[in-house]
Amino acid sequence: MPGSGGQSRRRIRSLSPKLRVQRTILTVTIVLIVIVQVYPLAWLFITSFRTASDFAGGNPFALPNEWTLENYGRAFDTGNLWLNILNSLIVTLGASVLIVVAGMMAAYALEVLGFRFSGVVKALFLLGIIVPVQIALVPLFIDYSQIGLLDTHLSMIIPLAAFALPMSIYLFSSFYEYIPREMYEAASIDGAGPYRIFGQITFPLSANTIITVVLVNSIFIWNDFIFANTFVLSDGLKTIPLGLQNYIGAMGNTDWTATFAAVCVTVTPLLLVFLVLNKAMISGLESGATKG
């Protein structure tokens, strides 16, 4: 036994240099990834405070020679920024509610209640992940024009929610799979039906998964351009990605500093929400692997 302990200590000491090298490589890789991800955002915020002449005539990657808030004033004066934010907020909240409600109910029926061929139905739902959104643009445009949904908030909410459902169902199903069945059996013995079980057991336990689904999809919905550009015809319904086109002037001239200020205004709320709720989001992503 003493000999085996000495061999273990020698093995640990021999592996330590390799572990240190691996840790160093991992640390350097993480730092590089953080720099690549954070630097464009930091540059965006810094440039939003530069004067237009400083940005055009100086080094665009250097610190501003003069700091100004005029870009933010021009950002609101040039375009309907508040209206664009409101439209994006309506679309994001509407689609998120639809995604959560439909995704939870579908996953509950597939994973908890169960029925014949539920596995096949779940597989068909998951096949929607590989369907490109572009194939639905023309058929939806024709259908919307015929039923009067074209140029409405619903014309964006419905497809955005529909294409986000497969991944949302997968996340909810992965979480429900690890909820102990004894909890459902005990509730059933006490006389609880499927709706009561869903409302008093499944829904409260799904808080972190709901946050995860909402945050993951809100990022894409908030920045959606393809559906808004296809189905929105009037200026009053333009979302943020479409509204940024207002900063392109005659002959393609662009007020870049005002554009950067507008982007900062629209990115900041989503960024703050993500930073506040990122722990709940990570917990929701890991719940399927850690429960049970």
Coordinates of all heavy atoms in Angstrom, one line a residue, residues 185-278:
E185 N -47.3 11.0 -9.8 CA -48.1 9.9 -9.2 C -48.7 10.3 -7.9 O -49.9 10.0 -7.7 CB -47.2 8.7 -9.1 CG -46.7 8.1 -10.4 CD -45.8 6.9 -10.2 OE1 -45.4 6.6 -9.0 OE2 -45.3 6.3 -11.2
A186 N -48.0 11.0 -7.1 CA -48.5 11.4 -5.8 C -49.6 12.4 -6.0 O -50.7 12.4 -5.3 CB -47.4 12.0 -4.9
A187 N -49.4 13.3 -6.9 CA -50.5 14.3 -7.2 C -51.7 13.7 -7.8 O -52.9 14.1 -7.4 CB -49.9 15.4 -8.2
S188 N -51.5 12.7 -8.6 CA -52.7 12.0 -9.2 C -53.5 11.2 -8.1 O -54.7 11.2 -8.1 CB -52.2 11.0 -10.3 OG -51.6 11.7 -11.3
I189 N -52.7 10.6 -7.2 CA -53.4 9.9 -6.1 C -54.2 10.9 -5.2 O -55.3 10.5 -4.7 CB -52.3 9.2 -5.2 CG1 -51.7 8.1 -6.0 CG2 -53.0 8.6 -3.9 CD1 -50.6 7.4 -5.3
D190 N -53.7 12.1 -5.1 CA -54.4 13.1 -4.3 C -55.6 13.7 -5.1 O -56.3 14.6 -4.6 CB -53.5 14.3 -3.9 CG -52.5 13.8 -2.9 OD1 -52.7 12.8 -2.2 OD2 -51.4 14.5 -2.7
G191 N -55.8 13.3 -6.3 CA -57.0 13.7 -7.1 C -56.7 14.8 -8.1 O -57.6 15.4 -8.7
A192 N -55.4 15.2 -8.3 CA -55.1 16.2 -9.2 C -55.2 15.7 -10.6 O -54.7 14.7 -11.0 CB -53.7 16.8 -8.9
G193 N -55.8 16.6 -11.5 CA -55.9 16.2 -12.9 C -54.7 16.8 -13.7 O -53.8 17.4 -13.1
P194 N -54.6 16.5 -15.0 CA -53.4 17.0 -15.8 C -53.2 18.5 -15.8 O -52.1 19.0 -15.7 CB -53.7 16.5 -17.2 CG -55.2 16.2 -17.2 CD -55.6 15.8 -15.8
Y195 N -54.4 19.3 -15.7 CA -54.2 20.7 -15.8 C -53.7 21.2 -14.4 O -52.9 22.1 -14.4 CB -55.6 21.4 -16.1 CG -56.1 21.0 -17.5 CD1 -57.1 20.1 -17.6 CD2 -55.5 21.6 -18.6 CE1 -57.6 19.8 -18.9 CE2 -56.0 21.3 -19.9 CZ -57.0 20.4 -20.0 OH -57.5 20.1 -21.3
R196 N -54.2 20.6 -13.3 CA -53.7 21.0 -12.0 C -52.3 20.6 -11.8 O -51.5 21.4 -11.2 CB -54.6 20.4 -10.9 CG -54.3 20.8 -9.5 CD -55.2 20.2 -8.5 NE -54.7 20.4 -7.1 CZ -55.3 19.9 -6.1 NH1 -56.3 19.0 -6.2 NH2 -54.9 20.1 -4.9
I197 N -51.9 19.5 -12.3 CA -50.5 19.0 -12.2 C -49.6 20.0 -13.0 O -48.5 20.3 -12.5 CB -50.4 17.6 -12.7 CG1 -51.1 16.6 -11.8 CG2 -48.9 17.2 -12.8 CD1 -51.1 15.2 -12.3
F198 N -50.1 20.4 -14.1 CA -49.3 21.3 -14.9 C -49.1 22.6 -14.2 O -48.0 23.2 -14.2 CB -49.9 21.5 -16.3 CG -49.2 22.5 -17.2 CD1 -48.1 22.1 -17.9 CD2 -49.7 23.8 -17.3 CE1 -47.4 23.0 -18.7 CE2 -49.0 24.7 -18.1 CZ -47.9 24.3 -18.8
G199 N -50.2 23.1 -13.7 CA -50.2 24.5 -13.1 C -49.4 24.5 -11.7 O -48.8 25.5 -11.4
Q200 N -49.5 23.4 -10.9 CA -48.9 23.5 -9.6 C -47.6 22.8 -9.5 O -46.9 23.0 -8.5 CB -49.9 22.8 -8.6 CG -51.2 23.6 -8.5 CD -52.2 23.0 -7.4 OE1 -51.9 22.0 -6.8 NE2 -53.3 23.7 -7.2
I201 N -47.2 21.9 -10.4 CA -46.0 21.2 -10.3 C -45.0 21.6 -11.5 O -43.9 22.1 -11.3 CB -46.2 19.7 -10.3 CG1 -47.0 19.3 -9.1 CG2 -44.9 18.9 -10.3 CD1 -47.3 17.8 -9.0
T202 N -45.5 21.3 -12.7 CA -44.6 21.5 -13.9 C -44.3 22.9 -14.1 O -43.1 23.2 -14.3 CB -45.3 20.9 -15.1 OG1 -45.7 19.5 -14.9 CG2 -44.3 20.9 -16.3
F203 N -45.2 23.8 -14.1 CA -45.0 25.2 -14.4 C -44.0 25.9 -13.4 O -43.1 26.5 -13.8 CB -46.3 26.0 -14.5 CG -46.1 27.4 -14.8 CD1 -45.9 27.8 -16.1 CD2 -46.3 28.4 -13.8 CE1 -45.7 29.2 -16.4 CE2 -46.1 29.7 -14.1 CZ -45.8 30.1 -15.4
P204 N -44.3 25.7 -12.1 CA -43.3 26.4 -11.2 C -41.9 25.8 -11.3 O -40.9 26.6 -11.1 CB -43.9 26.0 -9.8 CG -45.3 25.8 -10.0 CD -45.4 25.1 -11.4
L205 N -41.7 24.5 -11.6 CA -40.4 24.0 -11.7 C -39.7 24.4 -13.0 O -38.5 24.2 -13.1 CB -40.5 22.4 -11.7 CG -40.9 21.8 -10.3 CD1 -41.0 20.3 -10.5 CD2 -39.8 22.1 -9.3
S206 N -40.4 25.0 -13.9 CA -39.9 25.3 -15.2 C -39.4 26.8 -15.3 O -39.1 27.2 -16.4 CB -40.9 25.1 -16.3 OG -41.5 23.8 -16.3
A207 N -39.3 27.4 -14.2 CA -38.9 28.9 -14.2 C -37.6 29.1 -15.0 O -37.5 30.0 -15.9 CB -38.8 29.4 -12.8
N208 N -36.5 28.4 -14.6 CA -35.2 28.7 -15.3 C -35.3 28.3 -16.7 O -34.6 29.0 -17.6 CB -34.1 27.9 -14.5 CG -33.8 28.4 -13.2 OD1 -34.0 29.6 -12.9 ND2 -33.2 27.6 -12.3
T209 N -36.0 27.2 -17.1 CA -36.1 26.8 -18.5 C -36.9 27.9 -19.3 O -36.5 28.2 -20.4 CB -36.8 25.5 -18.6 OG1 -36.1 24.5 -17.8 CG2 -36.7 25.0 -20.1
I210 N -37.9 28.4 -18.7 CA -38.7 29.5 -19.3 C -37.8 30.7 -19.6 O -37.8 31.3 -20.7 CB -39.9 29.9 -18.5 CG1 -40.9 28.8 -18.4 CG2 -40.5 31.2 -19.0 CD1 -42.1 29.1 -17.5
I211 N -37.0 31.1 -18.6 CA -36.1 32.2 -18.8 C -35.1 31.9 -19.9 O -34.8 32.8 -20.8 CB -35.3 32.5 -17.5 CG1 -36.3 33.1 -16.4 CG2 -34.2 33.5 -17.7 CD1 -35.7 33.3 -15.1
T212 N -34.6 30.7 -20.0 CA -33.6 30.3 -21.0 C -34.3 30.4 -22.4 O -33.7 31.0 -23.3 CB -33.1 28.9 -20.8 OG1 -32.5 28.8 -19.5 CG2 -32.2 28.4 -21.8
V213 N -35.5 29.8 -22.5 CA -36.2 29.9 -23.8 C -36.4 31.3 -24.2 O -36.2 31.7 -25.4 CB -37.5 29.1 -23.7 CG1 -38.3 29.3 -24.9 CG2 -37.2 27.6 -23.5
V214 N -36.9 32.1 -23.3 CA -37.2 33.5 -23.7 C -36.0 34.3 -24.1 O -36.0 35.0 -25.1 CB -37.9 34.2 -22.5 CG1 -38.0 35.7 -22.7 CG2 -39.3 33.6 -22.2
L215 N -34.9 34.2 -23.3 CA -33.7 34.9 -23.6 C -33.0 34.4 -25.0 O -32.6 35.3 -25.8 CB -32.6 34.8 -22.5 CG -32.9 35.6 -21.2 CD1 -31.8 35.3 -20.2 CD2 -33.1 37.0 -21.5
V216 N -33.0 33.1 -25.2 CA -32.3 32.6 -26.4 C -33.1 33.1 -27.6 O -32.5 33.5 -28.6 CB -32.3 31.1 -26.3 CG1 -31.9 30.5 -27.7 CG2 -31.3 30.6 -25.3
N217 N -34.4 33.0 -27.5 CA -35.2 33.4 -28.7 C -35.4 34.9 -28.8 O -35.5 35.4 -30.0 CB -36.6 32.8 -28.6 CG -36.6 31.3 -28.8 OD1 -36.2 30.8 -29.9 ND2 -36.9 30.5 -27.8
S218 N -35.4 35.6 -27.7 CA -35.6 37.1 -27.8 C -34.4 37.8 -28.5 O -34.6 38.8 -29.2 CB -35.7 37.7 -26.4 OG -36.8 37.2 -25.7
I219 N -33.2 37.2 -28.4 CA -32.1 37.8 -29.1 C -32.3 37.8 -30.6 O -32.1 38.8 -31.3 CB -30.8 37.0 -28.7 CG1 -30.5 37.2 -27.2 CG2 -29.6 37.5 -29.6 CD1 -29.3 36.4 -26.7
F220 N -32.8 36.6 -31.1 CA -33.0 36.5 -32.5 C -34.3 37.3 -33.0 O -34.3 37.9 -34.1 CB -33.1 35.0 -32.9 CG -31.9 34.2 -32.7 CD1 -31.8 33.4 -31.6 CD2 -30.8 34.3 -33.6 CE1 -30.6 32.7 -31.3 CE2 -29.7 33.6 -33.3 CZ -29.6 32.8 -32.2
I221 N -35.3 37.3 -32.2 CA -36.5 38.0 -32.5 C -36.3 39.5 -32.5 O -36.7 40.2 -33.4 CB -37.6 37.6 -31.5 CG1 -38.0 36.1 -31.6 CG2 -38.9 38.5 -31.8 CD1 -38.9 35.7 -30.6
W222 N -35.6 40.0 -31.5 CA -35.3 41.4 -31.4 C -34.5 41.9 -32.6 O -34.7 43.1 -33.1 CB -34.5 41.7 -30.1 CG -34.2 43.1 -29.8 CD1 -33.1 43.9 -30.1 CD2 -35.1 44.0 -29.1 NE1 -33.2 45.1 -29.7 CE2 -34.4 45.3 -29.0 CE3 -36.4 43.9 -28.5 CZ2 -35.0 46.4 -28.4 CZ3 -36.9 45.0 -27.9 CH2 -36.2 46.2 -27.8
N223 N -33.6 41.1 -33.1 CA -32.7 41.4 -34.3 C -33.2 40.9 -35.6 O -32.5 41.0 -36.6 CB -31.3 40.9 -34.0 CG -30.7 41.6 -32.8 OD1 -30.7 42.8 -32.6 ND2 -30.0 40.7 -32.0
D224 N -34.5 40.4 -35.6 CA -35.0 39.8 -36.9 C -35.1 40.9 -38.0 O -35.6 42.0 -37.7 CB -36.3 39.2 -36.7 CG -37.0 38.8 -38.0 OD1 -36.5 37.8 -38.6 OD2 -38.0 39.5 -38.4
F225 N -34.6 40.6 -39.1 CA -34.8 41.5 -40.3 C -35.6 40.9 -41.4 O -36.4 41.5 -42.1 CB -33.4 41.8 -40.8 CG -33.4 42.7 -42.0 CD1 -33.6 44.1 -41.9 CD2 -33.2 42.2 -43.3 CE1 -33.6 44.9 -43.0 CE2 -33.3 43.1 -44.4 CZ -33.4 44.4 -44.2
I226 N -35.4 39.6 -41.6 CA -36.0 38.9 -42.8 C -37.5 38.9 -42.8 O -38.1 39.3 -43.8 CB -35.4 37.5 -43.0 CG1 -35.9 36.9 -44.4 CG2 -35.8 36.6 -41.9 CD1 -35.2 35.7 -44.7
F227 N -38.1 38.6 -41.7 CA -39.6 38.6 -41.7 C -40.2 40.0 -41.7 O -41.1 40.3 -42.3 CB -40.1 37.8 -40.4 CG -39.9 36.4 -40.5 CD1 -39.2 35.7 -39.6 CD2 -40.5 35.6 -41.6 CE1 -39.1 34.3 -39.7 CE2 -40.3 34.3 -41.7 CZ -39.6 33.6 -40.7
A228 N -39.5 40.9 -40.9 CA -40.0 42.3 -40.9 C -39.8 42.9 -42.2 O -40.7 43.7 -42.7 CB -39.2 43.1 -39.8
N229 N -38.7 42.7 -42.9 CA -38.5 43.3 -44.2 C -39.5 42.8 -45.3 O -39.8 43.5 -46.2 CB -37.1 43.1 -44.7 CG -36.7 43.8 -45.9 OD1 -36.9 45.1 -46.0 ND2 -36.2 43.2 -46.9
T230 N -40.0 41.5 -45.1 CA -40.9 40.9 -46.0 C -42.3 41.3 -45.8 O -43.1 41.6 -46.8 CB -40.7 39.4 -46.0 OG1 -39.4 39.0 -46.2 CG2 -41.6 38.7 -47.1
F231 N -42.7 41.3 -44.6 CA -44.2 41.5 -44.3 C -44.6 42.9 -43.8 O -45.8 43.2 -43.7 CB -44.6 40.5 -43.2 CG -44.3 39.1 -43.5 CD1 -43.7 38.2 -42.6 CD2 -44.6 38.6 -44.8 CE1 -43.4 36.9 -42.9 CE2 -44.3 37.2 -45.1 CZ -43.7 36.4 -44.2
V232 N -43.6 43.8 -43.5 CA -43.9 45.1 -43.1 C -43.8 46.1 -44.2 O -42.8 46.1 -44.9 CB -43.0 45.6 -41.9 CG1 -43.2 47.0 -41.6 CG2 -43.3 44.7 -40.7
L233 N -44.8 46.8 -44.5 CA -44.9 47.8 -45.6 C -44.9 49.2 -45.2 O -44.5 50.1 -46.0 CB -46.1 47.5 -46.5 CG -46.2 46.0 -47.0 CD1 -47.5 45.8 -47.8 CD2 -45.0 45.6 -47.8
S234 N -45.4 49.5 -44.0 CA -45.5 50.9 -43.6 C -44.5 51.3 -42.5 O -44.0 50.4 -41.8 CB -46.9 51.1 -42.9 OG -47.1 50.2 -41.8
D235 N -44.1 52.6 -42.5 CA -43.1 53.1 -41.6 C -43.6 52.9 -40.1 O -42.7 52.7 -39.2 CB -42.8 54.5 -41.8 CG -42.1 54.7 -43.2 OD1 -41.5 53.7 -43.6 OD2 -42.2 55.8 -43.7
G236 N -44.9 52.9 -39.8 CA -45.3 52.9 -38.5 C -45.2 51.5 -37.8 O -45.3 51.4 -36.6
L237 N -44.9 50.5 -38.6 CA -44.7 49.1 -38.0 C -43.2 48.7 -38.1 O -43.0 47.5 -37.8 CB -45.6 48.1 -38.7 CG -47.1 48.3 -38.4 CD1 -47.9 47.3 -39.3 CD2 -47.4 48.0 -36.9
K238 N -42.3 49.5 -38.5 CA -41.0 49.1 -38.7 C -40.3 48.8 -37.3 O -40.5 49.5 -36.4 CB -40.1 50.2 -39.4 CG -40.4 50.3 -40.9 CD -39.4 51.3 -41.5 CE -39.5 51.3 -43.0 NZ -38.6 52.3 -43.6
T239 N -39.6 47.7 -37.3 CA -38.9 47.3 -36.1 C -37.5 47.9 -36.2 O -37.1 48.6 -37.1 CB -38.8 45.8 -35.9 OG1 -38.2 45.2 -37.2 CG2 -40.2 45.2 -35.7
I240 N -36.7 47.6 -35.1 CA -35.3 48.3 -35.1 C -34.5 48.0 -36.3 O -33.9 48.9 -36.8 CB -34.6 47.9 -33.8 CG1 -35.4 48.5 -32.6 CG2 -33.2 48.3 -33.8 CD1 -34.9 48.0 -31.2
P241 N -34.3 46.7 -36.7 CA -33.5 46.5 -37.9 C -33.9 47.3 -39.1 O -33.1 47.8 -39.9 CB -33.6 45.0 -38.1 CG -33.9 44.4 -36.8 CD -34.8 45.5 -36.1
L242 N -35.2 47.4 -39.3 CA -35.7 48.2 -40.5 C -35.5 49.7 -40.2 O -35.2 50.4 -41.2 CB -37.2 47.9 -40.7 CG -37.5 46.5 -41.2 CD1 -39.0 46.3 -41.5 CD2 -36.8 46.1 -42.5
G243 N -35.7 50.1 -39.0 CA -35.6 51.5 -38.7 C -34.2 52.1 -38.9 O -34.0 53.2 -39.2
L244 N -33.2 51.2 -38.7 CA -31.8 51.7 -38.9 C -31.5 52.1 -40.3 O -30.6 52.8 -40.6 CB -30.8 50.6 -38.5 CG -30.8 50.2 -37.0 CD1 -29.8 49.1 -36.7 CD2 -30.4 51.5 -36.2
Q245 N -32.4 51.6 -41.3 CA -32.2 52.1 -42.7 C -32.5 53.5 -42.8 O -32.1 54.1 -43.8 CB -33.1 51.3 -43.6 CG -32.8 49.8 -43.6 CD -33.8 49.0 -44.5 OE1 -34.9 49.3 -44.6 NE2 -33.3 48.0 -45.2
N246 N -33.2 54.2 -41.9 CA -33.5 55.6 -42.0 C -32.3 56.5 -41.9 O -32.3 57.6 -42.3 CB -34.5 56.0 -40.9 CG -35.8 55.3 -41.0 OD1 -36.3 55.0 -42.1 ND2 -36.5 55.1 -39.9
Y247 N -31.2 55.9 -41.4 CA -30.0 56.7 -41.2 C -29.1 56.7 -42.5 O -28.0 57.3 -42.5 CB -29.1 56.1 -40.1 CG -29.9 56.2 -38.8 CD1 -30.6 55.1 -38.3 CD2 -29.9 57.4 -38.0 CE1 -31.4 55.2 -37.1 CE2 -30.6 57.5 -36.9 CZ -31.4 56.4 -36.4 OH -32.1 56.5 -35.3
I248 N -29.6 56.0 -43.5 CA -28.9 56.0 -44.8 C -29.5 57.2 -45.6 O -30.7 57.1 -46.0 CB -29.1 54.7 -45.6 CG1 -28.4 53.6 -44.8 CG2 -28.4 54.8 -47.0 CD1 -28.6 52.2 -45.4
G249 N -28.7 58.2 -46.0 CA -29.3 59.3 -46.6 C -29.2 59.2 -48.2 O -29.1 58.1 -48.7
A250 N -29.2 60.4 -48.8 CA -29.2 60.4 -50.3 C -27.8 59.9 -50.8 O -26.8 60.1 -50.1 CB -29.4 61.8 -50.7
M251 N -27.8 59.2 -51.9 CA -26.6 58.7 -52.5 C -25.9 57.7 -51.6 O -24.7 57.5 -51.8 CB -25.7 59.9 -52.9 CG -26.4 61.0 -53.8 SD -27.0 60.3 -55.4 CE -25.4 59.9 -56.2
G252 N -26.6 57.1 -50.7 CA -26.0 56.1 -49.9 C -25.2 56.7 -48.7 O -24.5 55.9 -48.0
N253 N -25.2 58.0 -48.5 CA -24.5 58.6 -47.4 C -25.1 58.1 -46.1 O -26.3 58.2 -45.9 CB -24.5 60.1 -47.5 CG -23.7 60.6 -48.7 OD1 -22.7 60.0 -49.1 ND2 -24.2 61.6 -49.3
T254 N -24.2 57.8 -45.1 CA -24.7 57.2 -43.9 C -24.1 58.1 -42.7 O -22.9 58.3 -42.7 CB -24.3 55.8 -43.7 OG1 -24.8 55.0 -44.8 CG2 -24.9 55.2 -42.4
D255 N -25.0 58.5 -41.8 CA -24.6 59.2 -40.6 C -24.1 58.1 -39.6 O -24.9 57.6 -38.8 CB -25.7 60.0 -40.0 CG -25.3 60.9 -38.9 OD1 -24.1 60.7 -38.4 OD2 -26.0 61.8 -38.5
W256 N -22.8 57.7 -39.7 CA -22.4 56.5 -38.9 C -22.4 56.8 -37.4 O -22.8 55.8 -36.7 CB -21.0 56.2 -39.4 CG -20.9 55.6 -40.7 CD1 -20.3 56.1 -41.9 CD2 -21.4 54.3 -41.1 NE1 -20.5 55.2 -42.9 CE2 -21.1 54.1 -42.5 CE3 -22.1 53.3 -40.4 CZ2 -21.5 53.0 -43.2 CZ3 -22.5 52.1 -41.1 CH2 -22.2 52.0 -42.5
T257 N -22.0 57.9 -37.0 CA -22.0 58.1 -35.5 C -23.4 58.1 -34.9 O -23.6 57.6 -33.8 CB -21.3 59.4 -35.2 OG1 -21.9 60.5 -36.0 CG2 -19.8 59.4 -35.5
A258 N -24.4 58.7 -35.7 CA -25.8 58.6 -35.2 C -26.3 57.2 -35.3 O -27.1 56.7 -34.4 CB -26.7 59.5 -36.0
T259 N -25.9 56.4 -36.3 CA -26.3 55.0 -36.4 C -25.7 54.2 -35.3 O -26.4 53.4 -34.7 CB -25.8 54.4 -37.7 OG1 -26.3 55.2 -38.8 CG2 -26.2 53.0 -37.9
F260 N -24.4 54.5 -34.9 CA -23.9 53.7 -33.8 C -24.6 54.1 -32.5 O -24.8 53.2 -31.6 CB -22.4 54.1 -33.6 CG -21.5 53.6 -34.8 CD1 -20.4 54.3 -35.2 CD2 -21.9 52.4 -35.4 CE1 -19.7 53.8 -36.3 CE2 -21.1 51.9 -36.5 CZ -20.0 52.7 -36.9
A261 N -25.0 55.4 -32.3 CA -25.7 55.8 -31.1 C -27.1 55.1 -31.1 O -27.5 54.6 -30.0 CB -25.9 57.3 -31.1
A262 N -27.7 55.0 -32.2 CA -29.0 54.3 -32.3 C -28.9 52.8 -31.9 O -29.7 52.2 -31.2 CB -29.7 54.4 -33.7
V263 N -27.8 52.2 -32.5 CA -27.6 50.8 -32.2 C -27.3 50.6 -30.7 O -27.8 49.6 -30.0 CB -26.4 50.2 -33.0 CG1 -26.0 48.8 -32.5 CG2 -26.7 50.2 -34.5
C264 N -26.6 51.5 -30.1 CA -26.3 51.4 -28.6 C -27.6 51.5 -27.8 O -27.8 50.7 -26.8 CB -25.4 52.5 -28.2 SG -23.7 52.3 -28.8
V265 N -28.5 52.4 -28.2 CA -29.8 52.5 -27.5 C -30.6 51.3 -27.6 O -31.2 50.9 -26.6 CB -30.5 53.7 -28.1 CG1 -32.0 53.8 -27.5 CG2 -29.8 55.0 -27.8
T266 N -30.6 50.6 -28.7 CA -31.4 49.4 -28.9 C -30.8 48.2 -28.4 O -31.5 47.2 -28.0 CB -31.7 49.2 -30.4 OG1 -30.4 49.1 -31.2 CG2 -32.5 50.4 -31.0
V267 N -29.5 48.1 -28.3 CA -28.8 46.9 -27.8 C -28.7 46.9 -26.2 O -28.8 45.9 -25.6 CB -27.4 46.9 -28.3 CG1 -26.5 45.9 -27.6 CG2 -27.4 46.5 -29.8
T268 N -28.6 48.1 -25.6 CA -28.4 48.2 -24.2 C -29.5 47.5 -23.4 O -29.2 46.7 -22.4 CB -28.3 49.6 -23.7 OG1 -27.2 50.2 -24.4 CG2 -28.1 49.7 -22.2
P269 N -30.8 47.7 -23.6 CA -31.8 47.0 -22.8 C -31.7 45.5 -22.8 O -31.7 44.8 -21.8 CB -33.1 47.4 -23.4 CG -32.8 48.7 -24.1 CD -31.4 48.5 -24.6
L270 N -31.5 44.9 -24.0 CA -31.4 43.4 -24.1 C -30.1 43.0 -23.5 O -30.1 41.9 -22.8 CB -31.4 43.1 -25.6 CG -31.6 41.6 -26.0 CD1 -33.0 41.2 -25.5 CD2 -31.5 41.4 -27.4
L271 N -29.0 43.7 -23.6 CA -27.8 43.3 -22.9 C -27.9 43.3 -21.4 O -27.4 42.4 -20.7 CB -26.7 44.3 -23.4 CG -25.3 44.0 -22.8 CD1 -24.8 42.7 -23.3 CD2 -24.3 45.1 -23.3
L272 N -28.6 44.3 -20.9 CA -28.7 44.4 -19.4 C -29.6 43.3 -18.9 O -29.3 42.6 -17.9 CB -29.4 45.8 -19.0 CG -28.5 47.0 -19.2 CD1 -29.3 48.3 -18.9 CD2 -27.2 46.9 -18.4
V273 N -30.7 43.0 -19.6 CA -31.5 41.8 -19.2 C -30.7 40.5 -19.3 O -30.8 39.7 -18.4 CB -32.8 41.7 -20.1 CG1 -33.5 40.5 -19.9 CG2 -33.7 42.9 -19.9
F274 N -29.9 40.4 -20.3 CA -29.1 39.1 -20.4 C -28.1 39.0 -19.3 O -27.9 37.9 -18.7 CB -28.4 39.1 -21.8 CG -27.5 37.9 -22.0 CD1 -28.1 36.7 -22.4 CD2 -26.2 38.0 -21.7 CE1 -27.3 35.6 -22.6 CE2 -25.4 36.9 -21.9 CZ -26.0 35.7 -22.4
L275 N -27.5 40.1 -18.9 CA -26.5 40.1 -17.8 C -27.1 39.8 -16.5 O -26.6 39.1 -15.7 CB -25.7 41.4 -17.8 CG -24.8 41.7 -18.9 CD1 -24.2 43.1 -18.8 CD2 -23.7 40.7 -19.1
V276 N -28.3 40.3 -16.3 CA -29.0 40.1 -15.0 C -29.5 38.6 -14.9 O -29.4 38.0 -13.8 CB -30.2 41.1 -14.9 CG1 -31.1 40.7 -13.7 CG2 -29.7 42.5 -14.7
L277 N -30.0 38.1 -16.0 CA -30.6 36.7 -16.0 C -29.7 35.6 -16.5 O -30.2 34.5 -16.7 CB -31.9 36.8 -16.7 CG -33.0 37.7 -16.2 CD1 -34.2 37.7 -17.1 CD2 -33.4 37.4 -14.8
N278 N -28.4 35.9 -16.7 CA -27.6 34.9 -17.4 C -27.4 33.7 -16.5 O -27.3 32.5 -17.0 CB -26.2 35.5 -17.7 CG -25.3 35.8 -16.5 OD1 -24.6 34.9 -16.1 ND2 -25.5 36.9 -15.9

